[in-house]
Amino acid sequence: MKKILLTGSRGFFGSRFIRSLGRDYEIIATTSDSLKITIRSDVENIISAVKPDYVVHAAAIAETDFCNKNPERCRAVNVEGTMHFADAVKKTGSRLVFLSTEQVFNGNAEAGPYTESDTPVPDTEYGKNKLEAESYIISECRDYLILRCTWMFGVPSKGLPVSPNLLWNTMQMILKGEPFKVPANEYRGITYIDDMLDRFNTILGLPEGVYHTGSVNNMSRYETVCHIFDALGIGSRIPELVIRDDEKYSGSPRDVRLDTSAARGLGIVFPDTAESLSRCISENYLRV
Ligand SMILES: NC(=O)c1ccc[n+]([C@@H]2O[C@H](COP(=O)([O-])OP(=O)(O)OC[C@H]3O[C@@H](n4cnc5c(N)ncnc54)[C@H](OP(=O)(O)O)[C@@H]3O)[C@@H](O)[C@H]2O)c1
């Protein structure tokens, strides 16, 4: 059985990764308690002891506001922590799989969808960290995959944590019962975490490189939220609860969609966001 050393195993992605891939791989799951990724020798030691086939590096401080307010701490984790893995895998030949983000394109003047050959211009500390880590991996690693992911969604599941995501955030606002604003000038991919994990075995076998992965979503954020209401069976409550915000990003729409055709051409095909939201809602019996 091939071995995967996983970081961030208590997170939204990592905890579900173990549940999805744990039968097919021996997963050595690390947490911020068991492995200090900011300490180079600790990373070197575990990589040389385990000699994994893959390192799936999902640990990160992924909160944009927190990173903007704590740039040094976040760079130490998001950039230096990644550098330690990029250096350590040189000795074992392990493939480094790095979870990056569409947020590397946040500051681009031109609108998405972006391909892998577009030059990213991040404008947040988190986006800058991810891009710097990517560049280091590309320059130093002999075998790597960099997966630029769109915003992933899922719902709480027994024993598994949930990060803020569009489906869960929307459901929480519905439960509050107060009207909330949703931008009509924002476009981004939204991917069901289960769809990502269902494809991960194939993803691990992709040729080395940088890939844009996830569901295509050509709906605005407002339209996506309305779709969630419809899929939940409460479309009639949209006028009461959803305030269409035409002001935010009105000067220049925010469009960080990813062009995923390169990965699609290699067999990594996702359903679109509308279909995945509907399926997640029905699979989890969320329709009212
Ligand atoms: N979720 C998304 O929509 C999305 C989209 C694009 C890219 N990504 C990327 O995908 C990865 C996983 O995201 P996620 O949603 O699962 O994030 P998450 O729920 O915030 O989990 C991140 C994990 O990183 C670990 N971590 C933080 N600081 C650490 C440190 N100093 N040392 C070791 N581990 C540390 C935490 O471990 P402990 O719990 O053990 O403290 C946490 O469980 C991240 O790299 C993120 O940037 C996520």
Side-chain angles (χ1 to χ4, degrees):
M1 205 180 237
K2 288 197 168 174
K3 280 193 238 175
I4 296 178
L5 186 126
L6 171 69
T7 68
S9 70
R10 283 195 292 224
F12 176 61
F13 173 88
S15 57
R16 287 166 178 78
F17 184 93
I18 295 170
R19 186 183 61 177
S20 289
L21 283 98
R23 262 188 242 135
D24 300 326
Y25 294 89
E26 182 187 344
I27 299 180
I28 296 88
T30 67
T31 68
S32 59
D33 295 327
S34 68
L35 175 65
K36 302 283 173 233
I37 66 170
T38 50
I39 301 178
R40 173 178 287 277
S41 56
D42 287 8
V43 174
E44 281 170 357
N45 289 343
I46 193 164
I47 296 289
S48 1
V50 172
K51 296 188 179 51
D53 297 283
Y54 303 95
V55 174
V56 175
H57 181 35
I61 301 179
E63 288 165 50
T64 306
D65 290 345
F66 184 85
C67 290
N68 285 337
K69 285 179 194 142
N70 302 275
E72 281 170 23
R73 181 164 160 204
C74 293
R75 190 178 178 281
V77 173
N78 294 343
V79 182
E80 289 168 24
T82 306
M83 288 173 164
H84 298 157
F85 284 102
D87 292 336
V89 294
K90 283 183 202 164
K91 292 185 192 136
T92 55
S94 315
R95 167 167 265 206
L96 180 59
V97 183
F98 177 60
L99 272 86
S100 189
T101 168
E102 59 176 14
Q103 301 295 313
V104 294
F105 292 106
N106 244 344
N108 285 58
E110 74 287 6
Y114 302 105
T115 68
E116 290 83 349
S117 43
D118 287 319
T119 304
V121 183
D123 69 355
T124 63
E125 290 301 318
Y126 172 61
K128 287 177 193 167
N129 285 176
K130 286 289 185 180
L131 187 61
E132 187 180 351
E134 283 187 7
S135 305
Y136 191 83
I137 292 170
I138 293 167
S139 71
E140 295 298 321
C141 268
R142 276 179 313 207
D143 189 12
Y144 66 85
L145 288 178
I146 292 172
L147 305 174
R148 291 194 186 133
C149 304
T150 67
W151 198 14
M152 291 186 268
F153 70 88
V155 291
S157 183
K158 205 171 174 187
L160 303 179
V162 71
S163 301
N165 67 76
L166 191 62
L167 174 58
W168 186 235
N169 294 356
T170 302
M171 291 179 63
Q172 285 178 310
M173 295 309 287
I174 292 167
L175 288 172
K176 261 192 179 171
E178 290 164 15
F180 59 102
K181 281 187 173 181
V182 185
N185 293 309
E186 185 182 13
Y187 293 86
R188 63 191 294 195
I190 306 280
T191 302
Y192 187 14
I193 182 110
D194 288 20
D195 285 340
M196 177 63 76
L197 293 170
D198 287 349
R199 285 153 186 75
F200 223 86
N201 199 17
T202 317
I203 287 173
L204 287 174
L206 284 171
E208 177 182 86
V210 179
Y211 294 96
H212 291 180
T213 53
S215 288
V216 168
N217 183 21
N218 293 322
M219 298 182 290
S220 69
R221 184 152 170 163
Y222 172 79
E223 289 163 335
T224 311
V225 166
C226 290
H227 177 82
I228 292 173
F229 271 69
D230 286 334
L232 288 167
I234 53 168
S236 60
R237 295 193 66 196
I238 293 171
E240 169 205 339
L241 290 176
V242 188
I243 304 165
R244 183 186 159 108
D245 183 352
D246 286 304
E247 269 172 44
K248 197 168 182 187
Y249 310 122
S250 62
S252 152
R254 179 176 191 235
D255 183 350
V256 288
R257 286 174 298 157
L258 297 179
D259 180 330
T260 56
S261 45
R264 241 190 352 264
L266 293 168
I268 313 297
V269 181
F270 285 79
D272 69 19
T273 294
E275 186 183 335
S276 293
L277 280 166
S278 300
R279 188 161 42 80
C280 175
I281 286 166
S282 83
E283 273 173 5
N284 290 284
Y285 304 101
L286 301 175
R287 223 180 132 79
V288 287

